[in-house]
Amino acid sequence: MTGLSTALHVPASLSVSPINSWFPGQRLFYALLSAFMDLDLLQVSAPGLAYICLGGFVVLFSMVSLLVKEKLYINEVVLGTGFGIFIGPYFANAFTPREWGPLENTITLEVMRVVLATGLFAVGVELPCAYMKEHAKSLLIMVVPTMAFGWVVVAGVIQALFPGLNYISSLCIAACLTPTDPVTCAAITRGKFATKHVPVNIRRILSAESAANDGLAYPFLAISIYLTVETSVRTALGKWFLVGWLYQVILGTALGAVLGLLFSKLMKISHKKGFIDRESYVAQYLALSIFTIGIASTIGADDLLAAFAAGSAISWDGHFNVQTEDDVFSSVIDYVLNCGCFIYIGAWLPFDAYNSPEYGITPWKLVLLMIAILVLRRIPPLLALYRFVPEIASWQEALFSGHFGPMGVSAVFVSNLALTRLPTPEHPPANQAQYLAATIQPIVSFIVLGSIIVHGLSIPFFSMGRGVHSRTVSLTMTWTSRNRVIVPDWVLGARNAPNTVESTAEEDLERGSTKIPQDTDESTVNTPDTASPGVAVTVAAEGVPGDTDSVVTRRHGRGKNDSSPERVKVEAVNDHAGQDDNQIQSVRFPFAQ
C-alpha cells in the first residue's frame, strides 16, 4: 500500500486515511494527476494561448452576436479590440505580440496584409457590376483631393504638436492616417442600422472609397520616406514617380485586374464544362486574394490595390456574383479574420509609449491630435466637393461621409511598412530618420485606438437619437376578413423562400442584378386549402434618397375557393433618378383571380 501511495503522490492530508477508504473517483483522479505530472504534459505556450483567446472570443461573442450587433449596434471591431487589450501585456499578460522578438514587426505586417487583402477583395466582389467604371468620377473626387487635403493638414498638426518632428517626418506619419480602413468601415456599410438609415448609394461609395484609398496610401508614404532617407530631393522625387506611382500603383492595379479577368474567364469555362462546384467559387474569396497579394508583394507592386482590382474584375460581368449568391461562407471568413485581427491590435497597442516625454509624446497632445484629425481630415474637403459627387445629395450626407473615415487595420499596416524602410532607432535617436522610427507607432496606434472607439461607437449613439437619415415605411392593407395580419420586422430583410412570391430589391441591387421579377399566376404558387384569407399588402419605402433596399412583397396564402381579388405592389422612392441603372422604381405583380 505504501508503494501504491507513493506512486500516486498522495497528499499529506489524505495519507492518514487508508487508501482503501478512498472513493473510486478519488483514486482515478490522483492516478491521472500523477501520470499528468510525470509525463510533463502541461505545456503553456504563446500559440496555445493565442488559439484559446481567439477561439474563445469568437465562440462567446457568437452566442450573443445578434443581441450585440443588431440591437446594440456594437460589432466585433470594438469588442475584439477591448478583449485584446484585456488579454494583452498590460492586464492579463496572456497574449503579448510585442514580446515575440525581432520578427514581431514582420508578423504584424503580414497579419494586417492578409486581413486587408481579403476585405478589399470582398469589397470589389460585392460592388455591382462595372461599378468602378460607372462611378469613376465620383471616386476620383472623393479619393484624391480628400486624401491629399487630409495628408497635408494632419501633417501640419503633427508638426505643431510634436516639434521634434520636421514636416517631412510629419508627412510620413500622416500618410499612415490618410487611408480609410475598409474593415472598420464595414460597420457603416453593413448591418441593420446601415440598411435602415444609410442610403444605398452612400454605402456603396464609402465601401469603394475605403478600398481605393487604402492602396493609394503607398504613394503618400513613399514620397515621405524617400524625402527622409534620400540626400537629394531630385532623387527622391524621381523614385517616387517611377517606383511609387508607375510601378507600385499602376502595375499593381493592372496586375490585379488581369488576374481577376483571367480567373473569371477560366471559371466560366470550367463551369460550362462542369468541372467546378459552388464551394470552389466561394473559396476564391480567400484563395485568389492571397494569391494576388503573393504575386504583387513578390514583385514589389501595390498588393492592396491589386487585391481590390482583382475582386472588381472577377465580378465585372456578374457571373461570379450569381454563383456565390446567398452564400455566407465568405462572411464567416471575414468575421473570423476581423475578430482575430482586432484582438491582435488590442494586445499590440503600446500603452507605455503614450507617455514618452523624451520624444515629446504626452497623452494630452495625443488627445488633441485625435480631435484635430476627426474635425479636419475629411469633413472640410467633402463639404466643399460633395456637389460634384452625385451619390451625395446634401451637406448632411457629406458630413456623415466625412465623419465616417475610420482608421484601423490599414493604419497599422502602413506604419509597420514604414518601419521596414526606416533605420532601427537608437536611444537617443541619432538623426531625424531614427526619431521618426521611434515615434511613428506610438502616435499612429493611439489614433487607431481613438478611431475604433469613436467610429465604432458612433452607430449606437446615432441609434439613440433621430439617426442619420429619417425613414418612413407605410403599410397599406386591404382586408377580406376580420383576421388581423401583422407584418413582422424581419419581412423587410426576408430572402427567397419556397411557396412565396417575393421581390427583394436590396438583394438584386447589392448583387448588381438588373433582373425584374416576372408576373406570376396562381399555377406557380402552392397554396394550401386551409390557408388564411388573402391579404393584399403594399410596402413602400419613402424618403430614402437613392435607397431601394429592404423593399419586399410577399403573397400571403389564399384558399383555392377564395375568389377575392389579390394584388401586390412594390414602390421604391428614388430621389437620384438616373444615377444608377439598377434602381427599381415600380414593380407590379398582377395575380389571376
Side-chain angles (χ1 to χ4, degrees):
M1 181 178 299
T2 303
L4 181 59
S5 300
T6 303
L8 293 178
H9 300 285
V10 180
S13 59
L14 294 177
S15 61
V16 296
S17 59
I19 195 170
N20 291 332
S21 65
W22 291 5
F23 293 106
Q26 287 178 300
R27 291 195 295 271
L28 177 62
F29 171 76
Y30 283 106
L32 294 176
L33 179 61
S34 174
F36 185 81
M37 299 299 292
D38 290 341
L39 295 176
D40 193 20
L41 297 178
L42 184 62
Q43 298 179 4
V44 180
S45 63
L49 291 175
Y51 300 148
I52 293 173
C53 295
L54 174 59
F57 174 81
V58 175
V59 168
L60 294 177
F61 180 64
S62 300
M63 297 292 182
V64 293
S65 60
L66 184 63
L67 171 66
V68 174
K69 297 172 70 173
E70 302 298 335
K71 301 297 181 182
L72 303 179
Y73 302 112
I74 301 176
N75 65 357
E76 65 272 12
V77 171
V78 177
L79 295 181
T81 305
F83 183 73
I85 294 173
F86 175 75
I87 66 174
Y90 302 97
F91 288 92
N93 199 30
F95 184 54
T96 56
R98 288 192 174 271
E99 297 179 2
W100 292 352
L103 293 178
E104 176 269 324
N105 186 70
T106 302
I107 295 173
T108 303
L109 182 68
E110 297 309 320
V111 169
M112 302 301 126
R113 191 195 304 272
V114 171
V115 174
L116 277 174
T118 54
L120 293 173
F121 185 87
V123 170
V125 169
E126 292 168 3
L127 289 173
C129 302
Y131 183 87
M132 300 300 294
K133 177 182 177 181
E134 297 172 1
H135 299 263
K137 174 188 173 183
S138 300
L139 284 172
L140 186 65
I141 294 174
M142 287 192 68
V143 171
V144 178
T146 303
M147 290 185 70
F149 179 88
W151 180 50
V152 173
V153 171
V154 170
V157 176
I158 291 174
Q159 188 187 21
L161 291 173
F162 306 99
L165 294 166
N166 59 28
Y167 189 69
I168 300 300
S169 298
S170 300
L171 284 174
C172 183
I173 298 177
C176 303
L177 304 173
T178 297
T180 302
D181 182 37
V183 179
T184 312
C185 190
I188 298 96
T189 58
R190 301 174 186 172
K192 185 177 180 180
F193 184 89
T195 301
K196 286 186 175 181
H197 299 285
V198 183
V200 65
N201 285 337
I202 297 295
R203 299 204 309 269
R204 287 177 180 167
I205 200 70
L206 285 178
S207 294
E209 183 219 3
S210 66
N213 67 17
D214 253 36
L216 288 177
Y218 274 85
F220 292 95
L221 177 66
I223 184 61
S224 308
I225 296 293
Y226 288 139
L227 289 174
T228 301
V229 299
E230 296 291 341
T231 57
S232 170
V233 175
R234 182 176 180 180
T235 302
L237 293 177
K239 287 186 176 181
W240 175 65
F241 178 75
L242 294 176
V243 178
W245 279 104
L246 293 183
Y247 191 82
Q248 290 186 328
V249 173
I250 304 300
L251 178 62
T253 304
L255 174 66
V258 169
L259 288 176
L261 291 174
L262 176 62
F263 278 95
S264 176
K265 299 295 183 183
L266 291 176
M267 284 189 291
K268 288 172 69 175
I269 295 173
S270 183
H271 179 264
K272 186 178 298 185
K273 294 182 177 296
F275 294 161
I276 187 172
D277 55 10
R278 179 182 175 86
E279 289 77 10
S280 298
Y281 271 98
V282 179
Q284 300 300 322
Y285 272 95
L286 185 62
L288 187 54
S289 59
I290 295 178
F291 179 74
T292 302
I293 64 172
I295 294 179
S297 60
T298 300
I299 65 176
D302 190 333
D303 47 1
L304 300 185
L305 270 180
F308 178 53
S312 300
I314 200 173
S315 60
W316 195 264
D317 58 359
H319 173 78
F320 187 82
N321 304 71
V322 172
Q323 298 303 319
T324 59
E325 190 174 11
D326 296 333
D327 196 282
V328 298
F329 182 69
S330 60
S331 300
V332 173
I333 294 175
D334 197 40
Y335 171 68
V336 174
L337 288 177
N338 291 349
C339 288
C341 180
F342 282 96
I343 291 174
Y344 188 97
I345 290 177
W348 170 84
L349 293 173
F351 284 94
D352 55 350
Y354 298 153
N355 188 19
S356 302
E358 65 273 19
Y359 298 116
I361 298 177
T362 56
W364 71 268
K365 288 185 178 181
L366 293 174
V367 172
L368 285 179
L369 177 62
M370 181 69 210
I371 296 173
I373 288 175
L374 291 176
V375 175
L376 301 175
R377 173 171 160 259
R378 285 171 55 87
I379 293 177
L382 283 180
L383 286 176
L385 298 172
Y386 80 90
R387 292 178 178 84
F388 304 100
V389 182
E391 291 79 4
I392 302 178
S394 62
W395 70 266
Q396 292 93 338
E397 292 183 357
L399 181 63
F400 173 81
S401 302
H403 169 70
F404 280 104
M407 295 152 285
V409 181
S410 55
V412 176
F413 172 78
V414 177
S415 67
N416 279 271
L417 183 64
L419 284 181
T420 63
R421 305 180 183 183
L422 292 171
T424 302
E426 302 173 1
H427 189 77
N431 51 43
Q432 185 64 206
Q434 291 187 15
Y435 193 89
L436 173 61
T439 55
I440 185 171
Q441 282 200 343
I443 296 175
V444 170
S445 63
F446 183 89
I447 302 303
V448 168
L449 176 61
S451 177
I452 290 173
I453 295 173
V454 172
H455 294 109
L457 297 180
S458 292
I459 292 297
F461 282 110
F462 272 113
S463 67
M464 293 177 186
R466 296 181 58 188
V468 178
H469 196 80
S470 61
R471 184 181 186 183
T472 303
V473 178
S474 62
L475 301 178
T476 305
M477 300 186 180
T478 303
W479 304 95
T480 57
S481 70
R482 298 171 59 186
N483 295 338
R484 182 183 180 186
V485 177
I486 300 176
V487 178
D489 183 62
W490 58 262
V491 169
L492 294 177
R495 290 188 177 274
N496 291 337
N499 300 333
T500 61
V501 177
E502 73 180 33
S503 170
T504 308
E506 167 65 13
E507 184 175 353
D508 290 338
L509 290 174
E510 292 292 343
R511 299 290 180 181
S513 173
T514 57
K515 296 181 296 183
I516 298 179
Q518 303 298 321
D519 293 346
T520 309
D521 55 22
E522 190 76 294
S523 62
T524 63
V525 181
N526 298 325
T527 54
D529 295 339
T530 59
S532 60
V535 179
V537 180
T538 301
V539 181
E542 301 174 356
V544 185
D547 186 3
T548 59
D549 73 341
S550 300
V551 182
V552 179
T553 63
R554 181 180 295 272
R555 183 181 188 275
H556 292 267
R558 181 175 62 176
K560 292 181 178 180
N561 297 326
D562 187 358
S563 59
S564 60
E566 177 175 354
R567 60 186 184 277
V568 182
K569 175 183 176 183
V570 177
E571 293 180 352
V573 177
N574 175 20
D575 293 339
H576 296 286
Q579 299 300 332
D580 196 330
D581 294 337
N582 292 329
Q583 301 291 341
I584 300 177
Q585 292 293 331
S586 179
V587 182
R588 296 175 180 270
F589 299 82
F591 288 91
Q593 297 187 10

